[in-house]
Amino acid sequence: MVETTARAESRPRLLTGDRPTGPLHLGHLVGSLETRVALQHDHECFIIVADLHTLTTRPRAEEVAELPGYVRDIVLDQLAVGIDPERATFYLQSAVPAVYDLAILLQMLVPKLRLEQIGSLRSMARAAALPDDAMTMGLLAYPVLQAADILMARASVVPVGLDNEEHIAIARECASVFNELYGDLFPLPQARISRWSSLPGIERGIAGSGAKMSKSLGNAVFLGDSAEVVAAKLRTLEFGDAERASPHEPALLVFARVFMGEDEARELGAGLRAGTLSLAAAHDALIAAIEQRLQPIRERRSALAGEIGLVEEIIVDGTIRAREVANVTLARAREAIGLEPLWSGLVTATQARAKARKRPY
Ligand code: ATP
Ligand code: MG
């Protein structure tokens, strides 16, 4: 496909995305979606729907059967927050086979020990209830596949959460070693960490744990939740009591800082401590602030959901474009390493011999 002028090469490329393990939530909104919306104007954006990465911890048939719904959900959520499909290329990772090939080539450049030392992979294994001896090659090589995603787009900017910073370092190392060995091909990608990269979950079920809001932990406020569900979930946030000191800042105060502002959060905390503000009133104030952000998103989400086939069309168009880009990068990588000359040299010599013997080949 020809690259359109709207997607001209002059803007730096950005790659980011999510695993389709559930719909997106408030943590995604402040931790990554708002950054994506802001950066889409001066970057050429590739937004991956990382279904292969989902297989690293959710490979069972019943889990794979959930992918179509979640793929649709996360694209819908991103359109609802304001990502413009004319500016951004949404694509389905597993439908871009050139990325698998690139990942194999990059695996040659990363020491196994380097991957074994990455803490986030062990946390993912723990979260998926995988004991150490059941760690798969796929999970261990997760950052290498992520490097292939980033490098196939030749992206230089990668907005991610703190948990992914080390993965971007691996992508940078892959790019740098590749360039050193075979000549400059890849820009060195840099992580862009957002200010709010770890919004805690609502405390239901895991009171005071300080756990990050996560699609799969049952502690998320989803962008598609109704106003009633959002309010009910937020009302489970406790302030805690001075007797039971917790190492974590009460989630209620973190939410207030993120959604109301530092000054308002300080006031709210002081009121709660002094007993001049009830917990119910603090909840009301927080719910009002969050609703102000969520209401327009919810409305756009339901309008877009009503346009039959729209989301699917955006994914298919974007994936076709991503395949073109990936094929070009893979061809350049194969050429640089010498694999393409190896194959084409063999073909040319064989055809020449066949011609000399006057046999069609
Ligand atoms: P899963 O439960 O499948 O791990 P998740 O809800 O933790 O899902 P991810 O897909 O792991 O979400 O996260 C993708 C990106 O979203 C992260 O790199 C980070 O930028 C952002 N993100 C996720 N959760 C939060 C959060 N609670 N606060 C801020 N940012 C978040
Ligand atoms: Mg996660």
Side-chain angles (χ1 to χ4, degrees):
M1 188 202 259
V2 180
E3 300 201 339
T4 63
T5 41
R7 287 164 168 161
E9 285 296 317
S10 54
R11 288 177 290 155
R13 279 192 180 166
L14 170 159
L15 184 130
T16 188
D18 309 271
R19 301 197 309 157
T21 51
L24 301 183
H25 52 64
L26 284 180
H28 294 114
L29 180 68
V30 297
S32 70
L33 300 180
E34 290 179 341
T35 315
R36 295 178 198 182
V37 172
L39 292 177
Q40 69 180 334
H41 302 289
D42 45 13
H43 290 78
E44 190 191 0
C45 298
F46 285 79
I47 303 193
I48 183 171
V49 181
D51 58 337
L52 283 180
H53 287 302
T54 303
L55 294 185
T56 56
T57 55
R58 297 172 56 85
R60 285 176 281 277
E62 63 274 19
E63 293 163 336
V64 175
E66 290 180 327
L67 285 175
Y70 291 154
V71 166
R72 181 181 155 80
D73 274 338
I74 65 175
V75 174
L76 195 52
D77 285 330
Q78 295 182 75
L79 298 173
V81 300
I83 295 174
D84 177 357
E86 293 293 319
R87 290 178 177 275
T89 299
F90 287 97
Y91 73 96
L92 184 65
Q93 181 190 30
S94 68
V96 184
V99 168
Y100 305 39
D101 290 7
L102 191 58
I104 296 253
L105 299 177
L106 298 179
Q107 276 179 25
M108 314 301 166
L109 312 179
V110 190
K112 175 168 152 275
L113 190 62
R114 176 80 177 89
L115 297 171
E116 284 168 348
Q117 287 164 343
I118 296 179
S120 63
L121 298 179
R122 278 195 298 277
S123 323
M124 283 179 73
R126 264 198 308 276
L130 278 176
D132 280 355
D133 58 3
M135 172 73 108
T136 60
M137 282 297 290
L139 187 51
L140 187 65
Y142 187 119
V144 185
L145 181 57
Q146 200 171 353
D149 300 326
I150 296 165
L151 300 184
M152 84 81 184
R154 302 179 68 244
S156 51
V157 181
V158 191
V160 283
L162 262 183
D163 52 341
N164 264 262
E165 199 175 20
E166 183 120 36
H167 300 187
I168 312 312
I170 297 282
R172 206 162 42 246
E173 286 160 27
C174 286
S176 151
V177 175
F178 187 102
N179 291 349
E180 231 165 77
L181 290 178
Y182 309 118
D184 274 350
L185 174 58
F186 297 116
L188 302 187
Q190 301 294 333
R192 182 84 60 96
I193 310 290
S194 81
R195 179 167 170 222
W196 306 114
S197 66
S198 195
L199 186 75
I202 50 161
E203 296 184 353
R204 179 195 289 173
I206 41 172
S209 68
K212 189 172 90 86
M213 185 176 288
S214 203
K215 303 181 204 97
S216 40
L217 286 182
N219 65 356
V221 176
F222 295 108
L223 302 182
D225 281 346
S226 68
E228 295 69 36
V229 169
V230 171
K233 286 181 175 176
L234 292 174
R235 285 193 193 284
T236 66
L237 289 172
E238 290 165 14
F239 184 58
D241 57 65
E243 308 294 310
R244 198 167 50 87
S246 156
H248 307 291
E249 183 182 8
L252 178 60
L253 282 193
V254 181
F255 273 68
R257 284 202 289 123
V258 174
F259 294 99
M260 298 170 70
E262 297 287 352
D263 291 346
E264 289 78 356
R266 213 170 305 126
E267 243 173 69
L268 185 133
L272 282 166
R273 262 184 294 270
T276 52
L277 183 74
S278 68
L279 186 59
H283 284 148
D284 287 343
L286 180 66
I287 290 166
I290 290 182
E291 255 317 290
Q292 217 178 353
R293 299 268 269 280
L294 280 185
Q295 197 219 354
I297 295 175
R298 192 182 299 120
E299 275 171 17
R300 269 200 303 273
R301 194 183 196 281
S302 92
L304 290 161
E307 291 193 41
I308 307 296
L310 174 76
V311 172
E312 290 72 14
E313 209 174 290
I314 288 169
I315 298 171
V316 170
D317 286 353
T319 305
I320 290 171
R321 173 159 197 274
R323 287 165 70 116
E324 304 273 347
V325 170
N327 286 341
V328 170
T329 305
L330 178 65
R332 290 178 67 180
R334 286 175 51 86
E335 187 70 37
I337 297 174
L339 297 175
E340 199 50 51
L342 171 65
W343 170 235
S344 57
L346 195 59
V347 171
T348 309
T350 305
Q351 283 173 338
R353 265 196 309 271
K355 201 169 165 195
R357 286 190 314 201
K358 304 233 178 315
R359 263 181 31 206
Y361 185 75

